[in-house]
Structure formats: C-alpha cells, structure tokens
C-alpha cells in the first residue's frame, strides 16, 4: 500500500497499512504506533510465532526508516549492541563501527536472554538517546524506538530484567494467540508466501510532526489528577504489591493518552484514553510481594482491580 | 380515598411484620450474647457494593426489581451479614440471592428483590449494609451501598423525602378530604340558613378551586436550559453528572462502559448525548462553546421524563 502525498498522512493511514501486513494483533499495532508518536519504547511479551518481529519490521518499513534486529543471546557483548572502535591497519588509525542500535526501529529479540551488562548498554542508550564509543559520543537517530520481546515460556538461560530497567519501557504489551478466524486468514494470506511490507506510508518528518502535535493535545486538570491517582493507587499499601510504579509511569501514562487521542483524531484527552493506556503502562512497573507469588495471583488481575477501584472524573 | 386506606393497611401490615422481624433479629444477640460473639465476620476485600433498580419510576402495583450487588476479591460461597435496606412501603414478592466466581477473580454476589408498591410517592431506599472485617486494615467494618430514589406514580403525588410512613400518609389523605368537604358543608349550612330567615339573597360561595399543581421540572431539562443560556465547562459538567446520576453510573465507569449498556445501546439519542457531553467536558477552554453547540441537539432530543436506563 502506498499513499499519494497530496494530503498529509494521518496515524490512521499508518495503522491501516500495518493491518494489511499483520493479521489481528490490534493491540500490538496500536501500541507500536502510539508509542512511536509518544516517543517511548515497548516490550512485547508472548509466545514465539505471533508476528512480533513482523509487526516491528512492518512499522520500520512503513515509516521509511532503518530497521535492525538484534538477537540477544547469553554470549552477547555490549559492543555488539552499540558498536566499537576498530583498528585499521592500512591507515594505522582507529575507526568507529556503529552498532545495530543506530536505527530508527530496533528490535531487541528475547532481551532477557542476554546478561545484565548487555541489557544495561541498550537501556542506557534508550535513556540517554546517545552512545559513547571510545572518545566519541554519537546521537541516536530520531525517531528511535526500541521494541523488545520476551518469551514468557522459557525460564532456563534467561536473565530477568530488573524493575528499574523495565521502567524505561513506556509500555508492556501482552501478545496472545490469534482467533480461529484470524488464523484462517493468516493461512489464506501467507500460506507459502512472505508477507508484503508497506512502503512509503509516512516519512520521518511526518512522525516528528505527529510527535509535536501529540505533545500539544490538551489534558484537562481532572485527567491529570486521574492519572496521578491511578499510579498512586499502586503504591498505597496494596496487599499483593511489594512496590508500586514511579512518577515515570505517570509521565508515560499521560504521554501515551495524548498519543492515543491524537491517533483518534482528537485534540483533547478523555478519561477513556487514560484508562485504556493504564494497564499497558502499569503492568511491568509493579513488583508482586511473596504473598501474591505464593497465592499465584495473576498480575493482570491486580492491575485490573487497581484500575477498576479508582474513580474516574 | 377509601382505596388508599385499604391498600395502606396491607402495606402497613407488611411494614409491621418487617419491623417485628428486624426487632427479633436485634434481640437475639441480647438474649444469646454468645451468638453475637460466635457470629464470625468474614474477612473481605469489598471492591464494589451497589444498590440499583431496573426502573426508577413505575405505576402503583407494577413490579420492580431491586438489586444489591457485591464484588469481593476472595472466592467465597456466600456473603454473610449482608443486611437489605429498609423496604417499608413496598411488598417483597420474591427474593433471590446467588454468588458466582467473578470475571476477574474474586466473587460476585447479587440479591434480587421483586417488589411492588401500591402507594404513590417518592421513596428513598437504602443503603444496604455489609458487616465484615476489612481485609485492607483488619478492622471490623460496616460497608454501605449507595441509596436510590424511586417514584411510584398513579395516585396523587404525595412527596416523601424520607422512609415511608403509612400512618402519616393516611392522615394526610383524611385532612385533604376534610379540607375539600368543609367548603361544601359551609355552602349547605348557608343554604339552610337562608331558608329559615327572610328570603335575602345570599351569594352561594362556590368552593375555592384547587390550586393547580405546577408540573414537576425535570432537573435535566433545567440544566440543559442553563447550559444553552451560558455554555461553560461548569455547566457542561453539571449536565454530565446528571446524566451519569440517572444511569446510576459507578465512579469507576467511563463513557465506554456506559455505551456498552443495553439501555444506552438501544437509545441512540442518549448515546449521542453522552458522547457529545463527554467531549464538551474535556475539550480545550477555547473550544467549549463550539463543543456545547454540538452537544445541545442530542441533549434536547432526550425525552424530559423517561427514566434513562430503564430499557427504552
């Protein structure tokens, strides 16, 4: 699908293009577009084979940006992520080889398979927006989105991401199996053939312009109070929580709600925007206590109960 | 008038029976103090506790369903120490209580009461109460639901702000009847008196006409009228709050929740009004006037008296 450039593209055009490539997974596609506009990063958690990589590649292709995939393994080194200095024997000088992190969309596949040092290198780059290699500090491209995947099924050979590092991701999306109808459509569309990638849907400049407009989306004071109340509810002595979300969650919640309103074509946020984004923003920022683990309490149930208990404006 | 007193007697008997049952129930711990101690309170995370009705206005004699709903985080087979609200003025024709696992874990318990009332008026009902140990702090607590207001139509409206008093309404009926009879009796006495005296023409004073009762002003109509006169965020919020109040919206329910209700989905005007008012409530300051302009047409299409959410 390719759009003409007579009218400026809208986020809905980007979403439509992604839906032509990826069957189902509506929550994933909407989160990718909203996080791209909000300027954050996303964690996708789900079993293998659910189009997580395909969605990220489609996004990068649709925005005309660079896409790099990094498979995280236990023997990965930080320089494999950010780059390194290489000695050129012919010139007798060192040159800088940029790592795969220098891309618009970076897919960090199975991020929990790499040791903490490698995770830190990536996360530090996400936080700072720049990388230091030898004597040089190099800015990362703009826009820059990291989509990390985690497989919930494997426990051996994995290094759990600490809460402080997970906090750097704006949202965590749970990727689930497609419905029967969606799976039949996948079979019809892609049985034997590689899916076609969208191209030229939006330009990098469009993304930057959308970001600027999304930041200007109006948030009525009651909605700011609502966002603060939602995040604060995770800290107020909950029976099953060891620790609640930080103010970074509040910032992420409002930024994402703005992006959601912008994608919906509005210049103002409504309570449903805040509530719709709350689970994705909070689920990876809360720490369950021993009692919750012992009673096998579903973290999703805790987040849903917290969100359901806070009064809306 | 006679029918009011007759039916009132039945309701009076029902209210008296209920009061006896409550009194007996209250006396049990006094005679058997160990019973009160032995009545162990459940330890519960009470998440929601609501009182609602399928309709908030009905004709006398029509059935209504009152629902008490509780959601707790624990998996329990039943909820103990749940006290129903005082239903004086209503006859309870059916009562069904059940508990089922909640969709998000925990337990949902509901008690549905089938009631009728033969006496017109406006009844404030509730709250229902639940005695339990609050699992959040370990303290014995009494949880209370919301109150609801129900209007029974079909007879001359006798406004009542508090719980129904059958004797008081019967007395009022007698006073009204007496007030109407006095001028008639006075006219008859005057007529007899003129027959005994000399035939002096006496003007027969007709009984004063009953003052017409002013039609009840629907609060929503009034708020929409005020919004039209002066579109402001404050007045938009008043309309929004009134719509939510009529729908018995819980605090945690958003517009999307309300739009999913059957009663709203079946009423496109109501759905349009809710959406438009929601936008006007949260739009930028300099766009409020335009947003109110878009909200007024669907608001004005809403019927002035129709219990919103009554399944129209």
């Amino acid at each position: 699908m390719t759009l003409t450039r007579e009218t400026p593209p809208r986020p809905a055009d980007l979403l439509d293009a992604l839906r032509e490539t990826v069957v189902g997974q509506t929550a994933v596609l909407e989160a990718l577009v909203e996080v791209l506009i909000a300027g954050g990063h996303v964690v996708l958690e789900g079993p293998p084979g659910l189009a997580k990589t395909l969605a990220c590649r489609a996004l990068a292709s649709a925005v005309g940006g660079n896409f790099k995939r990094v498979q995280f393994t236990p023997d990965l080194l930080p320089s494999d992520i950010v780059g390194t200095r290489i000695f050129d024997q012919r010139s007798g000088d060192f040159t800088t080889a940029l790592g795969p992190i220098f891309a618009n969309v970076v897919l960090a596949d199975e991020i929990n398979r790499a040791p903490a040092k490698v995770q830190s290198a990536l996360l530090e780059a996400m936080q700072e927006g720049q990388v230091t290699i030898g004597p040089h500090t190099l800015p990362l491209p703009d826009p820059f989105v990291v989509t990390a995947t985690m497989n919930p099924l494997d426990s051996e050979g994995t290094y759990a991401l600490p809460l402080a590092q997970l906090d750097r991701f704006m949202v965590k999306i749970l990727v689930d199996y497609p419905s029967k109808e969606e799976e039949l459509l996948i079979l019809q569309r892609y049985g034997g053939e590689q899916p076609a990638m969208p191209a030229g849907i939006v330009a990098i400049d469009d993304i930057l312009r959308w970001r600027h407009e999304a930041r200007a989306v109006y948030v009525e004071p009651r909605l700011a109070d609502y966002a603060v109340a939602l995040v604060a509810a995770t800290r107020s002595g909950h029976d099953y929580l060891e620790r609640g979300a930080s103010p970074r969650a509040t910032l992420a919640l409002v930024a994402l709600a703005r992006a959601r309103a912008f994608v919906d074509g509005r210049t103002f946020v409504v309570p449903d925007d805040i509530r719709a984004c709350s689970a994705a923003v909070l689920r990876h920022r809360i720490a369950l206590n021993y009692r919750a683990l012992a009673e096998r309490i579903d973290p999703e149930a805790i987040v849903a109960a917290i969100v359901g208990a806070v009064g809306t404006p | 008038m006679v029918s009011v007193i007759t039916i009132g007697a039945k309701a009076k008997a029902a209210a008296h029976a209920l009061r006896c049952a409550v009194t007996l129930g209250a006396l049990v711990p006094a005679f058997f103090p160990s019973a009160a101690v032995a009545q162990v309170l459940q330890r519960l995370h009470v998440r929601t506790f609501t009182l609602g009705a399928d309709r908030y206005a009905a004709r006398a004699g029509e059935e209504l369903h009152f629902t008490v709903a509780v959601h707790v985080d624990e998996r329990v087979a039943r909820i103990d120490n749940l006290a129903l609200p005082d239903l004086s003025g209503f006859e309870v024709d059916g009562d069904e209580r059940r508990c089922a696992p909640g969709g998000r874990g925990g337990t949902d318990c509901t008690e549905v009461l089938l009631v009728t009332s033969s006496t017109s008026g406006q009844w404030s009902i509730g709250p229902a109460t639940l005695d339990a140990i609050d699992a959040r702090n370990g303290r014995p607590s009494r949880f209370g639901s919301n109150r609801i207001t129900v209007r029974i139509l079909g007879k001359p409206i006798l406004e009542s702000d508090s719980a129904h008093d059958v004797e008081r309404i019967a007395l009022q009926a007698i006073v009204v009847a007496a007030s109407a009879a006095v001028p008639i009796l006075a006219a008859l006495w005057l007529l007899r008196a003129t027959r005994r005296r000399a035939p002096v023409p006496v003007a027969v004073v007709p009984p004063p006409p009953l003052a017409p009762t002013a039609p009840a002003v629907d609060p929503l109509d009034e708020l929409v009228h005020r919004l039209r006169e002066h579109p402001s965020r404050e007045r938009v919020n008043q309309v929004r709050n009134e719509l939510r109040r009529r729908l018995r919206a819980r605090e945690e329910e958003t517009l999307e929740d309300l739009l999913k209700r059957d009663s709203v989905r079946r009423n496109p005007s109501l759905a349009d009004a809710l959406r438009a008012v929601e936008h006007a409530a949260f739009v930028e300051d300099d766009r409020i006037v335009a947003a109110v302009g878009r909200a007024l047409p669907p608001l004005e299409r809403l019927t002035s008296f129709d219990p919103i959410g009554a399944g129209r």
Side-chain angles (χ1 to χ4, degrees):
Chain A
M1 176 185 174
T2 305
L3 290 179
T4 61
R5 302 296 295 179
E6 288 151 0
T7 54
R10 302 164 302 149
D13 300 326
L14 177 58
L15 267 173
D16 290 341
L18 293 176
R19 287 191 190 110
E20 289 191 7
T21 300
V22 180
V23 176
Q25 302 298 1
T26 306
V28 174
L29 299 180
E30 288 176 351
L32 286 175
V33 173
E34 288 166 7
V35 168
L36 177 69
I37 294 172
H41 310 282
V42 57
V43 173
L44 302 175
E45 183 177 286
L50 296 185
K52 297 189 290 294
T53 306
L54 178 63
C56 298
R57 282 178 52 209
L59 179 70
S61 176
V63 304
N66 297 322
F67 169 76
K68 288 283 167 50
R69 178 174 176 270
V70 182
Q71 180 66 48
F72 279 54
T73 54
D75 59 349
L76 210 63
L77 297 172
S79 57
D80 295 330
I81 305 292
V82 300
T84 188
R85 299 271 286 170
I86 297 175
F87 180 71
D88 188 341
Q89 285 187 336
R90 282 177 295 178
S91 63
D93 212 348
F94 280 92
T95 57
T96 301
L98 299 180
I101 202 172
F102 288 89
N104 296 111
V105 181
V106 176
L107 174 61
D109 221 350
E110 297 188 286
I111 191 174
N112 52 334
R113 285 200 175 278
K117 197 160 64 170
V118 175
Q119 294 170 359
S120 296
L122 171 67
L123 293 162
E124 190 177 336
M126 285 163 55
Q127 181 68 21
E128 304 293 328
Q130 61 188 23
V131 167
T132 300
I133 305 173
H136 306 294
T137 298
L138 304 163
L140 292 170
D142 193 14
F144 171 66
V145 178
V146 172
T147 56
T149 66
M150 293 200 298
N151 185 342
L153 303 178
D154 295 337
S155 57
E156 291 187 8
T158 58
Y159 303 83
L161 259 71
L163 208 64
Q165 291 183 341
L166 273 174
D167 199 27
R168 298 230 164 88
F169 289 93
M170 182 172 271
V171 299
K172 178 178 171 184
I173 304 296
L174 302 180
V175 188
D176 207 350
Y177 292 100
S179 64
K180 180 183 171 187
E181 291 75 21
E182 289 169 347
E183 202 154 350
L184 283 170
L185 187 56
I186 292 169
L187 202 57
Q188 288 165 14
R189 195 185 285 187
Y190 301 125
E193 287 187 8
Q194 288 296 316
M197 287 290 143
I201 304 302
V202 296
I204 297 292
D205 287 343
D206 293 321
I207 302 295
L208 298 176
R209 177 173 52 82
W210 289 351
R211 282 188 175 178
H212 179 72
E213 291 176 18
R215 277 190 216 111
V217 168
Y218 177 68
V219 178
E220 212 255 1
R222 286 175 295 166
L223 295 177
D225 289 342
Y226 180 42
V228 169
L230 275 172
V231 177
T234 66
R235 303 176 201 144
S236 48
H238 197 279
D239 286 346
Y240 292 127
L241 294 184
E242 182 73 33
R243 195 165 61 251
S246 70
R248 192 178 280 155
T250 316
L251 292 168
L253 184 54
V254 173
L256 199 64
R258 281 186 157 128
R260 187 172 188 270
F262 180 72
V263 169
D264 200 35
R266 283 181 276 113
T267 57
F268 53 93
V269 174
V270 294
D272 274 304
D273 293 326
I274 302 278
R275 199 178 69 168
C277 298
S278 54
V281 167
L282 292 174
R283 61 168 55 103
H284 59 297
R285 292 187 160 98
I286 56 174
L288 271 59
N289 59 18
Y290 179 75
R291 182 182 168 195
L293 296 171
E295 293 181 22
R296 301 193 180 189
I297 301 295
D298 180 9
E300 289 304 300
I302 294 176
V303 172
I306 289 173
V307 172
V310 175
T312 62
Chain B
M1 297 304 169
V2 172
S3 63
V4 167
I5 295 171
T6 301
I7 294 169
K10 284 188 187 173
K12 180 182 174 181
H16 180 65
L18 192 62
R19 280 196 289 273
C20 287
V22 170
T23 305
L24 279 173
L27 284 174
V28 164
F31 285 109
F32 302 99
S34 59
V37 173
Q39 193 181 28
V40 177
L41 295 179
Q42 289 173 296
R43 185 186 176 90
L44 300 171
H45 279 94
V46 180
R47 292 297 177 190
T48 57
F49 186 19
T50 59
L51 172 64
D54 60 343
R55 292 182 293 161
Y56 294 91
R59 299 278 172 193
E62 288 182 345
E63 289 178 347
L64 292 165
H65 292 86
F66 293 161
T67 303
V68 177
V70 181
H71 177 80
V72 298
D73 284 352
E74 291 75 14
R75 285 290 168 92
V76 295
R78 65 176 192 277
I79 299 280
D80 296 326
N81 305 308
L82 175 65
L84 298 175
D86 184 3
L87 293 173
S88 303
F90 290 86
E91 291 181 17
V92 181
D93 299 323
D95 181 357
E96 180 187 347
R97 182 189 285 204
R98 64 185 190 132
C99 290
R104 293 177 179 171
T107 307
D108 289 316
C109 286
T110 55
E111 180 151 3
V112 181
L113 301 157
L114 177 64
V115 301
T116 55
S117 177
S118 304
T119 309
S120 59
Q122 185 160 297
W123 310 112
S124 177
I125 298 161
T129 59
L130 168 60
D131 292 339
I133 293 176
D134 190 343
R136 292 173 298 181
N137 53 30
R139 294 185 191 144
S141 303
R142 170 160 289 182
F143 300 89
S145 72
N146 55 296
R147 302 178 77 92
I148 60 173
T149 302
V150 175
R151 288 180 73 178
I152 303 297
L153 307 174
K155 299 286 189 296
I157 301 285
L158 297 174
E159 292 293 334
S160 171
D161 285 334
S162 60
H164 173 57
D165 186 339
V166 177
E167 293 92 333
R168 182 173 58 82
I169 289 183
L171 187 59
Q172 282 181 340
I174 292 170
V175 169
V176 167
S179 303
V182 162
I184 296 173
L185 290 174
L188 286 173
W189 181 81
L190 274 173
L191 193 61
R192 281 191 64 190
T194 57
R195 284 184 182 168
R196 286 197 299 268
R197 289 185 242 152
V200 175
V202 175
V204 176
V205 179
L210 289 173
T213 54
V217 177
D218 184 9
L220 181 63
D221 281 350
E222 177 64 25
L223 290 171
V224 171
H225 175 70
R226 292 177 62 199
L227 178 64
R228 192 184 309 113
E229 280 187 337
H230 181 64
S232 67
R233 195 184 301 277
E234 180 188 354
R235 296 197 174 181
V236 169
N237 286 325
Q238 288 170 352
V239 171
R240 181 173 179 262
N241 290 341
E242 175 64 17
L243 286 172
R244 287 180 64 91
R245 187 190 67 80
R246 291 187 173 208
L247 286 169
R248 297 300 184 264
R250 295 190 300 273
E251 263 197 14
E252 65 274 15
E253 285 187 295
T254 63
L255 174 65
E256 290 300 317
D257 296 322
L258 299 180
L259 292 176
K260 285 176 191 168
R261 291 188 181 186
D262 285 343
S263 57
V264 176
R265 286 194 290 116
R266 285 197 294 264
N267 189 342
S269 293
L270 176 57
D272 290 343
L274 285 170
R275 284 193 200 94
V277 167
E278 186 85 350
H279 283 196
F282 294 101
V283 78
E284 303 98 298
D285 291 335
D286 56 357
R287 293 189 180 189
I288 284 181
V289 174
V292 168
R294 287 189 292 273
L296 282 172
L299 281 170
E300 288 161 356
R301 280 197 292 272
L302 288 179
T303 312
S304 68
F305 176 73
D306 179 10
I308 296 174
R312 197 167 66 114

